[in-house]
Structures are given as structure tokens and as C-alpha cells.
Amino acid sequence: MGATGLPEEGVGSLAALSELVRAAVDDSTRSAGPRFFHFVMGGGTPAALAADWLASALDQNAYNWVSSPFAARLEQISVAWLKDLFGLPAAWTGVITTGATMANFAGLAAARRWWGLEQGVDVEAEGLSGLPPMKILTSGYVHVSALKAVAMLGLGRQRVRTLSRDGAGRIDLDALASELEERNSEPVVIIANAGDVNTGDFDPIAEMVALARKHRAWVHVDGAFGLFAAVSPTTRHLVAGLELADSVGVDGHKWLNVPYDSGYAFVREPKFLAGAFGVSASYLGTEALARPVFGNLGPEMSRRARSLALWATLRAYGRAGYRAMVERHLALAQRVADQVDAAPDLERLADVSLNVVCFRYRPSGIPEDQLDDLNRTLGELVLEDGRVYFGTTVFAGKVAFRPAIVNWRTREEDADLIVATVRELGARAVAQVEASRARGAMPASAKSEPVEPSESAEVAKPQR
Ligand SMILES: Cc1ncc(COP(=O)(O)O)c(C=O)c1O
């Protein structure tokens, strides 16, 4: 990318853009493509992508109805559509955020306001000092971004208690019940996780809400990608009880397939979100509720008009389009799970209830205590190879793969490469691990091994 220092004289728009495009072709991961299964990323639908360009071209500031009535109206419409899509009550309030981390932040900020008021303190006005630490209870499925949100809210991520009943992180409902019983006099915040990143498994939201309702507890649901279970009748049961929670966070740039950055926070009682983020008490008038000032319902004031991409994709494909996409991904995940089960050298580590397949390479003859090294090495080879792209995780103490199927373009031939690639590269990983053991060293990084360029036109990573 040329010079390292700030150029004294510019090269002009066209020259700069040509340089940028050349560098992008060489260096960017193909994360918008159908073979990128790392993290839980998603791509951008054509309608969302074009609308996102328009948002940049128009450069609207989606603070309020004066700065951009266009963006505000689209946010109002599309937030209502999302509530419908996810089966959330129409009376809830909602706001577009930059992603699920900030959606969790917004939902938990509303929870913090509620928690303060329960103790007679307006936290936004008076701060947290003098209040006891907030009790926050969750399962082992809690995502680091929820902990980050807790930290940003000044609540202390170490205050979060994970009540797991097993190594996978499933919630211990008895422990949750007794924690709530013990804290009967205190307001408590519960984080329910709709979609564990390793397995796609869900906390039992309905049961957690039922316990919360017997006590003074707020339930926030992190549904970054798992909320899309609500879109299909085949998986809707996984989020049963969602509509009874107090706040929900979800991502747009994951399974909705809108470009970065887009997420959504929903809160049952508008006053808690408005109270947490409003810059003026006069906001709470009836007129404001009819025409919400979205810049006063979330952390940002000047805001990109993310509502354009959101509106366009929902308008273009509708409920049926999203249902078809989600169901195609569910079927693809089952297909990959079947391939894993049929392969003698692969081991599936978890049920596939949604779109994530958790498995590891386990060829015969390799002792258990060498499998983590082997899978880590294989993970590096998969990333280096680039035909498909997904990394490793640690699930129930084992290094494993967890490809997630979320891209609207992914088809069978793309998903089939997951198992094929892992098995093909497996032998090389075994050889590497054995060679490094013979040298008495840790396994060499896969990066030192030359990799043959892929023949395929669709790759997940640039080939050099
Ligand atoms: C369950 C869950 N919650 C929250 C997040 C954070 O989302 P974002 O990176 O969009 O802020 C993620 C991202 O992977 C996630 O999987």
C-alpha cells in the first residue's frame, strides 16, 4: 500500500482508488462469499449492499427527524418489521446499533437503569457509587461481547456469575433458582443466550423468564445470530419465551446479511431505553414516542443511516425470503453434520440444533492427549489453504472446529468443502505434528508450509 508516512501531496481520487482496489483483491478475506464459515459473519444481500452504498452517497445523519426524516422513517418502519420477523411484541421499542455488542450494551444499559430505579437511584444522573454491585447471572454460553458490554457499563465483568451444569456451559436452572431465592430482596439481571457460538445451542429462555418473574429480575437475551431461529417454524421453539423477556440484542451483519455494521436492540419498556440514552427528559412526551428520536435510544448521537440497508433487504426478500434462507442454512448444517458422522476420522462434539457444526479431526491411532495439537495444526492449515475459511475453538475442553453457515450465497457445493477440506488436509497435519514431536518441539506453524493454490474460482481467502 505504498508509502508508510502521510503523503505530502495526494495522488488524486482515481489513482488512490485503483491502488486500494488492487490491494483489496490481494489482501481482503472473502468474508462476503459463500465459503467463509469462520466466526459467525454473514455477507451482504444485493439489496442491502446497494442500499448501503446509497447511505454513504446520501451521507444522512440518522440522529432525529430533523437531521434525516428519511432515515428516521425507514428506521421506524424496519424496526417494526424486525419485531414482526422475530415475534417480539409491537409495543416494544427498538433501535439500530452498530452490532450485537452495542445491542447488548443498549439492552443492558436499560437493565442498569431499571436496576438503579428499583433501588431509588437514577444511575444516569447520579452514577453507580453508593449502590451495591449488580448481580448478573448467566450460563456458560455467555458471549465475551456481553461481558464487554457489562464492563463498559461499569458493572464489572467479574460480577457476572456463570451457572453451568456441565462442561459445555448449559445453564443450571436449579442453581439459578437458588441464587434468585437467596437474593430475593435485590434486583438481579439475567443474561439468556440464544445461540452459543460453539454449538448454536440455546439457553431455555422461557424457564429463565419464569424464574425471573418470581423474583425482581430483568432478563436480557443475547440473540446475536440465534434469534433467527424465530424466523422458521422448525426452530421457533428454540426461542420460546423470547417475547416475555425484558430486552433483546441481535445482529444484522450476521444472519440478516446486511453489510457491516448493523445490530438491533429491543426493550419491552421504552422508558428504560430512553432513560438510559436520552439527552433530555422532555424526550418522553407522547409525540416523541410516536416519532422516536433514535439518536436518544442508543449510544451514538450522529449515526450512519443503517436503516437504508435494513429496510431494503427486508423489502426485497420479505419474511418468506428470510425463512427460505434460514431453512436452507439449517439443512446445510444438518448435511455437514451427516458428513461428519459418516467420516471415520471425524468426531461430532455437539448436536446441531441450528447452523453451527462442532466437530474435530480424530483419526485412529492418535492418542487423546495429542488431538488438541493436531486439530490446532489442522486449523492453521485450513486457514492457510483458503478454499474454505473457519478456525478452531475450545469446546468442552477439546480443540474443535465450529463452522457456521450464515451466508445467503452458501450452497451445497460450498458446504460440502468443509468436511472434504478437513479430511484432505488431515494427513498433512498428522505428519506435521509427528515431525515436531520427533524434534521434541511444539507443532510448527502451518504458515511455514507451502500451500498449493486452489483450483477453485470461489475461495474464502486470497490466493498468492
Ligand atoms: C452470541 C454473540 N453475541 C454477541 C456477538 C457480538 O456481535 P458483534 O461482533 O456484531 O458486536 C457475537 C459475535 O460473534 C455473538 O456470536
Side-chain angles (χ1 to χ4, degrees):
M1 294 288 289
T4 48
L6 171 69
E8 196 55 42
E9 301 292 338
V11 292
S13 307
L14 280 182
L17 286 170
S18 309
E19 198 182 321
L20 183 65
V21 169
R22 277 196 304 276
V25 169
D26 286 347
D27 290 342
S28 62
T29 52
R30 305 302 192 249
S31 50
R35 295 181 178 175
F36 194 98
F37 304 109
H38 210 349
F39 312 109
V40 185
M41 305 261 289
T45 64
L49 181 58
D52 199 54
W53 292 337
L54 188 61
S56 290
L58 296 174
D59 199 21
Q60 301 284 283
N61 179 351
Y63 171 62
N64 68 6
W65 293 75
V66 175
S67 62
S68 177
F70 178 53
R73 180 86 186 111
L74 290 179
E75 185 156 354
Q76 191 176 37
I77 295 168
S78 45
V79 161
W81 284 351
L82 284 177
K83 284 186 271 183
D84 193 354
L85 184 70
F86 297 130
L88 290 169
W92 285 34
T93 195
V95 66
I96 303 179
T97 62
T98 53
T101 303
M102 290 314 282
N104 284 333
F105 176 84
L108 290 168
R112 187 183 65 172
R113 176 154 187 83
W114 162 83
W115 170 82
L117 291 175
E118 286 285 303
Q119 299 170 90
V121 177
D122 176 341
V123 165
E124 280 65 35
E126 299 167 48
L128 291 166
S129 61
L131 282 165
M134 183 193 278
K135 301 288 178 329
I136 308 170
L137 306 173
T138 189
S139 76
Y141 288 163
V142 68
H143 191 264
V144 283
S145 67
L147 303 181
K148 180 170 177 165
V150 165
M152 288 192 290
L153 287 161
L155 302 169
R157 69 167 79 85
Q158 286 178 8
R159 302 284 174 198
V160 178
R161 290 212 47 203
T162 52
L163 307 169
S164 310
R165 74 178 139 90
D166 60 21
R170 290 184 185 88
I171 185 91
D172 182 339
L173 283 175
D174 292 338
L176 179 62
S178 42
E179 283 283 339
L180 288 169
E181 207 64 58
E182 273 168 31
R183 292 163 171 41
N184 214 5
S185 56
E186 298 171 49
V188 172
V189 172
I190 296 172
I191 301 175
N193 305 287
D196 163 48
V197 277
N198 282 332
T199 62
D201 195 21
F202 288 70
D203 282 339
I205 301 170
E207 277 100 322
M208 292 166 83
V209 172
L211 286 172
R213 292 299 161 255
K214 289 195 202 144
H215 303 274
R216 285 164 80 198
W218 175 290
V219 179
H220 172 76
V221 179
D222 175 1
F225 66 96
L227 212 65
F228 284 79
V231 174
S232 167
T234 59
T235 44
R236 170 84 214 171
H237 63 279
L238 295 170
V239 290
L242 178 70
E243 68 287 356
L244 305 171
D246 298 289
S247 56
V248 175
V250 60
D251 243 320
H253 50 229
K254 291 185 171 36
W255 220 343
L256 197 69
N257 279 262
V258 300
Y260 287 97
D261 40 18
S262 196
Y264 322 110
F266 302 96
V267 175
R268 162 186 301 281
E269 289 200 53
K271 66 181 182 197
F272 294 121
L273 198 58
F277 293 111
V279 287
S280 141
S282 62
Y283 167 78
L284 292 173
T286 5
E287 201 205 6
L289 284 176
R291 300 178 83 202
V293 176
F294 290 104
N296 282 351
L297 292 176
E300 306 157 275
M301 294 195 67
S302 293
R303 307 159 73 230
R304 176 174 172 76
R306 301 182 187 94
S307 56
L308 273 65
L310 172 58
W311 180 89
T313 203
L314 292 172
R315 178 82 176 112
Y317 313 112
R319 191 197 309 275
Y322 273 98
R323 177 179 161 180
M325 181 194 69
V326 165
E327 291 181 351
R328 193 170 66 248
H329 291 161
L330 297 174
L332 287 174
Q334 290 300 331
R335 182 181 170 94
V336 174
D338 290 346
Q339 292 171 356
V340 168
D341 293 347
D345 48 2
L346 299 181
E347 178 188 22
R348 189 148 61 82
L349 298 177
D351 289 341
V352 176
S353 50
L354 204 67
N355 61 339
V356 181
V357 186
C358 187
F359 69 98
R360 66 176 176 167
Y361 185 53
R362 191 184 185 185
S364 64
I366 306 285
E368 178 64 41
D369 66 357
Q370 292 179 20
L371 287 174
D372 283 356
D373 271 359
L374 177 61
N375 278 277
R376 246 186 228 107
T377 303
L378 180 52
E380 289 179 16
L381 286 173
V382 169
L383 292 179
E384 187 67 18
D385 176 82
R387 272 171 292 174
V388 282
Y389 208 78
F390 50 88
T392 53
T393 186
V394 177
F395 173 69
K398 298 173 176 134
V399 174
F401 297 100
R402 43 148 322 279
I405 299 171
V406 267
N407 191 294
W408 69 279
R409 290 170 57 197
T410 302
R411 295 283 183 276
E412 286 182 355
E413 59 270 28
D414 307 305
D416 287 352
L417 277 175
I418 293 173
V419 160
T421 307
V422 166
R423 297 190 70 198
E424 183 193 313
L425 298 175
R428 202 192 304 169
V430 170
Q432 272 192 33
V433 169
E434 278 171 359
S436 35
R437 278 184 190 274
R439 289 197 306 270
M442 291 295 289
S445 161
K447 293 204 165 64
S448 59
E449 291 287 306
V451 171
E452 295 298 318
S454 162
E455 302 268 307
S456 166
E458 269 301 353
V459 293
K461 177 174 169 288
Q463 307 285 304
R464 298 181 192 233

